[in-house]
Amino acid sequence: FSPGLLVVAGSFAAFRLLNRGLERLVPPPPSARRNRWKWRNIWTSLAHSVLSGGGALAGFYLHPELSNDLVGTHPPGAHSLVAVSVGYFLEDFVDMLCNQKLHQSWELLFHHSVVIICFGIAVLLHQYVGFALVALLVEINSIFLHLRQILLMANLVHTTCYRLNSLVNLGTYVVFRIATLAWMTRWLFLNRQNVPPATYAVGTVGMAIMTPMNIILFYRLLRSDFFK
């Protein structure tokens, strides 16, 4: 029995409790009261992005050996962070499944399924933790994606804060999402001889799904925030 599974379960419960109590911590504005579950969901996602994105940066700073060995090196803190993220993605999967129609959420549910499988392998095998930590750098951009949604729901589109967030969102999207995923794809290709076939297949399929999804989202953001 992997202790990592206890961290996953604890993370799931903690994010579930956070989700339930968020309306008291951050009451929804009048414009968001018709969609209260979405308001709670985005704030929960923001909390995870701050924790995991910041944790991933700290992990590479505190354990520079992770950069040299993305497969075998697994410091306890980095391993726990990946397990915490699995718990969050499971919680978010359940939250969307219970509160949103399938045709509205199937893309994110599919995305979460891929992430849960890939990160779950890292947690259970104590391998590829460094690779998973690289993937969590994407969450630095997710901070600004979630802030964008919060500002939209709060009807603050025509504000300086929204415009500034849009610029930072686009910049971090290129650096921490598109460039990071491209680097991960390149790493998989160059190290295919050192990665077991099953794991390589899962990683390749994951990258093949994530890359076009992120390019489409980038186009939507450009069109919505800059080319209206």
Side-chain angles (χ1 to χ4, degrees), residues 108-138:
L108 274 175
L109 290 173
F110 190 55
H111 167 273
H112 284 17
S113 300
V114 173
V115 174
I116 289 164
I117 291 168
C118 293
F119 281 18
I121 290 171
V123 171
L124 291 172
L125 300 183
H126 288 259
Q127 287 189 310
Y128 310 102
V129 171
F131 193 74
L133 221 61
V134 172
L136 283 177
L137 291 175
V138 168

Side-chain angles (χ1 to χ4, degrees), residues 124-180:
L124 291 172
L125 300 183
H126 288 259
Q127 287 189 310
Y128 310 102
V129 171
F131 193 74
L133 221 61
V134 172
L136 283 177
L137 291 175
V138 168
E139 293 298 321
I140 293 170
N141 167 250
S142 294
I143 293 170
F144 303 100
L145 274 175
H146 298 319
L147 281 173
R148 178 182 179 274
Q149 286 183 293
I150 288 167
L151 291 168
L152 280 170
M153 289 193 74
N155 203 19
L156 296 171
V157 179
H158 304 293
T159 61
T160 304
C161 186
Y162 183 88
R163 294 298 296 171
L164 182 61
N165 184 74
S166 294
L167 290 169
V168 177
N169 183 28
L170 216 62
T172 55
Y173 199 104
V174 172
V175 174
F176 290 106
R177 195 171 284 269
I178 293 177
T180 299

Side-chain angles (χ1 to χ4, degrees), residues 12 16 37 41 86-100 102 105-106 108-114 116:
F12 178 90
R16 201 73 188 144
W37 89 265
N41 179 274
V86 174
Y88 158 74
F89 283 111
L90 282 168
E91 190 279 331
D92 201 44
F93 189 97
V94 171
D95 194 39
M96 285 190 291
L97 210 57
C98 293
N99 294 289
Q100 202 169 27
L102 191 59
S105 61
W106 71 268
L108 274 175
L109 290 173
F110 190 55
H111 167 273
H112 284 17
S113 300
V114 173
I116 289 164

Side-chain angles (χ1 to χ4, degrees), residues 5-100:
L5 293 179
L6 287 176
V7 179
V8 170
S11 170
F12 178 90
F15 278 109
R16 201 73 188 144
L17 285 171
L18 176 65
N19 186 291
R20 295 290 176 88
L22 264 168
E23 276 200 56
R24 294 180 182 178
L25 294 170
V26 192
S31 55
R33 285 174 190 163
R34 287 183 299 176
N35 206 353
R36 290 175 181 271
W37 89 265
K38 186 68 176 176
W39 180 257
R40 295 193 307 269
N41 179 274
I42 295 169
W43 276 99
T44 306
S45 299
L46 177 61
H48 168 257
S49 294
V50 171
L51 174 66
S52 58
L57 279 177
F60 282 112
Y61 176 76
L62 296 171
H63 304 283
E65 67 275 12
L66 274 168
S67 304
N68 302 319
D69 181 11
L70 298 180
V71 179
T73 306
H74 54 275
H79 181 265
S80 295
L81 183 65
V82 177
V84 165
S85 285
V86 174
Y88 158 74
F89 283 111
L90 282 168
E91 190 279 331
D92 201 44
F93 189 97
V94 171
D95 194 39
M96 285 190 291
L97 210 57
C98 293
N99 294 289
Q100 202 169 27

